[in-house]
């Protein structure tokens, strides 16, 4: 036997530059995954159907949420909920074609999130810790975030060539500045009332979109590509 | 490939800043119960609203105009006396309206009392692992407004003051310390209460964790009959597993009640056994039984701990003293004797009538009679419902056909 010990594992020499490049690529890949929603291609009809079911659930819960909210604030007339408050998203879905309307649903969902969060923070100070209002607000926030992600995925699948605007800026421009307690009560009522109305519109819209978008053989992306 | 979001800014709708319609003073005040308040609503002059057209509501109820005061053309006050405690912890809604009911401004009133010293502070440890404490608010007035309670504790002779953090055990006025508790060393524990109107601190209690130990209820509680004894039941159970880990001994209590009664009977002298026989019970009756455990002898101490919760109820029934009228499969020995006697009587009667005396008596003859009996029963059932107490022998079934 030879006294020379053979190294059975081939040595892989990686240059310093290549190692740096590999690290950068890995970081970029991880960052890209964490920054965007990971969507899997799913059949159009079943995706929209799922979103429709989720919307119906959130809408049903929003009715109870608003009732619970009003009871928690004391006797408040319907007038409080109809007061004019700046910066609260309106419940209307805009756009002419399905892609615009789907995008409107997505951006409205995202727009409501910081307001739901602000109402939760305010009510945490106003309500006893055992109040069911706080858990209902938290649930509404989580489910709406989930719905936004679903709509995002469906949009990307149906309209891959159309850009999606970035996340709305979550800062002082989107939620009101500090308010006195009465203003907080009114603000919360306006947010939840508009939220409930928005979800009602989304339910109708998703039904329409499902029949418009999923039954056609030609995708709107292809149609848009013609222009 | 996941589409990347564009870096263009999402431009929210541009909203114009709203000019405040009116201002109420004071805004969100904290007030003592029984006190008075004068609030003012001042509307912006450019709104063109006159104060004498405005009105006030408190928690949705319109306040009488006799309580109003006209301060100026655009300022209206209201005076409230002997305020009651707030209807909700978020505050009472005092609102200033225009003539047509529109809301001009609002202020939330917090009417309550400063807290009193929290009382009845008690704590217990589950298997020496943790510490739970509960207390009662010292006064009622503090419950109308948001009052914060903070449970604090420290080792008696050294250590820094710490705060309990978990108040979410589902019950009010309780707190839970899950870990890192010292044994054989006394703790000082107290509760601090505070709200917008004041603060208060409970008395300090001193305890060693090992003095306030409770454990889990016994598991595997089984209740069974004692043979056919109609007034007794046996109860068996397992000792809580945690006892093995902490050198506890244990003593037990049993309680039982009739199914349709709310009154429990307590058996207190069970000791450290894991079985017990209940006696003096009612026959043919369903009983519910529960067992609980007290850890004694913690690390050699003779001091008792705190009784555990009762185990889940287990049910069992005592036997009946007599067999059922119908469907009884187990006749008593006395009845068996009379049945045999009657049968023998019938057999001898048949032998006398149809056999040539009893000289040919044998078990074979008995068997033949049994066969004949069976055939004659079938004939009787076929003919009618006559319940013939003794066997009748049809002419064609004379004994000579059964002669041995």
């Amino acid at each position: 036997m030879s006294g020379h010990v053979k190294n059975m594992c081939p040595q892989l020499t990686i240059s310093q530059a290549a190692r740096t490049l590999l690290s950068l690529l890995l970081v970029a890949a991880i960052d890209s995954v964490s920054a965007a929603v990971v969507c899997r291609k799913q059949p159009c009809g079943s995706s929209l159907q799922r979103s429709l079911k989720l919307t119906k659930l959130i809408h049903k819960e929003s009715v109870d949420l608003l009732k619970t909210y009003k009871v928690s604030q004391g006797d408040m007339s319907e007038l409080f909920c109809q007061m004019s408050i700046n910066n609260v998203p309106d419940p209307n879905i805009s756009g002419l074609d399905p892609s615009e309307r789907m995008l409107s649903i997505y951006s409205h969902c995202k727009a409501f999130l910081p307001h739901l969060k602000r109402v939760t923070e305010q009510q945490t100070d106003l309500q006893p810790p055992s109040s069911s209002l706080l858990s209902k607000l938290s649930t509404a926030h989580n489910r709406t975030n989930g719905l936004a992600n679903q709509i995002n995925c469906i949009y990307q699948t149906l309209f891959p060539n159309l850009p999606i605007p970035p996340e709305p800026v979550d800062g002082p421009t989107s939620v009101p500045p500090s308010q006195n307690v009465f203003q907080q009560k009114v603000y919360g009522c306006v947010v939840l009332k508009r939220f409930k109305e928005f979800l009602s519109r989304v339910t109708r819209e998703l039904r329409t979109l499902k029949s418009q978008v999923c039954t056609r053989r030609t995708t709107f992306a292809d149609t848009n590509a013609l222009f | 490939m996941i589409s990347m979001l564009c870096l263009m800014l999402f431009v929210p709708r541009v909203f114009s800043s709203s000019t405040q319609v009116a201002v109420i003073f004071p805004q969100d005040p904290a007030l003592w119960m029984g006190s008075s308040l004068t609030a003012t609503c001042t509307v912006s002059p450019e709104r063109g609203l006159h104060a004498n057209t405005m009105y006030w509501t408190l928690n949705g109820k319109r306040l009488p105009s006799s309580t109003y005061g006209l301060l100026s053309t655009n300022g209206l006050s209201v005076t409230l006396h002997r305020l009651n405690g707030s209807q909700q912890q978020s505050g009472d809604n005092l609102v200033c309206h225009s003539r047509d009911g529109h809301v001009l401004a609002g202020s939330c009133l917090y009417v309550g009392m400063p807290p009193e010293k929290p009382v009845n502070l008690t704590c217990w440890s589950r298997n020496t692992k943790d510490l739970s404490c509960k207390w009662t608010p010292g006064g009622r007035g503090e419950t109308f407004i948001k009052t914060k309670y903070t449970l604090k504790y420290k080792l008696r002779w050294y250590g820094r003051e710490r705060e309990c953090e978990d108040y979410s055990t589902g019950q009010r006025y309780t707190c839970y310390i899950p870990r890192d508790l010292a044994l054989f060393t006394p703790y000082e524990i107290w509760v601090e209460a505070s709200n917008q109107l004041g603060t208060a601190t409970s008395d300090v209690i001193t305890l060693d964790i090992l003095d306030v130990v409770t454990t889990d209820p016994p598991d595997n509680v089984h209740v069974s009959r004692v043979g056919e004894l109609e007034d007794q039941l046996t109860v068996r159970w397992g000792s809580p597993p945690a006892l093995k880990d902490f050198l506890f001994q244990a003593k037990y209590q049993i309680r039982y009640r009739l199914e349709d009664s709310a009154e429990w009977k307590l058996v207190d002298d069970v000791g450290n056994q894991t079985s017990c026989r209940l006696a003096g019970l009612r026959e043919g009756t369903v009983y519910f039984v529960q067992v609980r455990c007290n850890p004694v002898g913690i690390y050699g101490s003779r001091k008792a701990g705190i009784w555990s919760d009762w185990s889940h109820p287990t049910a069992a029934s005592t036997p009946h003293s007599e067999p059922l009228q119908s469907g009884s499969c187990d006749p008593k020995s006395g009845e068996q004797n009379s049945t045999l006697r009657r049968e023998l009587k019938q057999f001898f009667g048949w032998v006398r009538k149809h056999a040539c005396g009893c000289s040919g008596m044998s078990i074979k003859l008995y068997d033949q009679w049994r066969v004949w009996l069976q055939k004659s029963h079938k004939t009787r059932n076929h003919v009618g419902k006559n319940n013939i107490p003794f066997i009748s022998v049809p002419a064609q079934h004379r004994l000579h056909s059964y002669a041995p």
Side-chain angles (χ1 to χ4, degrees), chain A residues 86-87 90 166 168 181 185, chain B residues 8 10 13 15-16 18 28 93:
Chain A
N86 284 343
N87 296 351
D90 68 85
V181 175
K185 288 189 176 187
Chain B
M8 27 182 293
F10 175 72
R13 287 175 55 181
F15 299 101
S16 59
S18 64
D28 309 333
N93 302 316

Side-chain angles (χ1 to χ4, degrees), chain B residues 295-360:
Chain B
V296 297
I298 300 166
Y299 292 119
S301 157
R302 286 192 180 180
K303 222 170 174 178
I306 298 174
W307 285 104
S308 72
D309 292 334
W310 289 103
S311 63
H312 292 302
T314 304
S317 63
T318 48
H320 286 272
S321 59
E322 289 179 2
L324 298 172
Q325 292 300 317
S326 62
S328 170
C329 300
D330 298 314
K332 282 191 175 172
S333 55
E335 278 188 5
Q336 282 179 323
N337 287 341
S338 62
T339 303
L340 176 62
R341 192 171 183 279
R342 187 169 63 242
E343 196 174 279
L344 278 174
K345 196 174 171 184
Q346 287 178 353
F347 172 62
F348 291 142
W350 179 80
V351 167
R352 270 198 300 276
K353 201 170 180 181
H354 304 290
C356 302
C358 295
S359 58

Side-chain angles (χ1 to χ4, degrees), chain B residues 18-61:
Chain B
S18 64
T19 52
Q20 205 155 6
V21 178
V23 174
I24 289 183
F25 181 84
Q27 191 65 51
D28 309 333
L31 305 157
W32 285 54
M33 285 169 65
S35 65
S36 299
L37 168 74
T38 297
T40 60
C41 178
T42 308
V43 70
S44 301
E46 57 265 25
R47 293 285 167 171
L49 295 170
H50 202 282
N52 63 5
T53 63
M54 302 182 328
Y55 67 92
W56 292 91
T57 60
L58 178 63
N59 288 328
K61 283 192 185 149

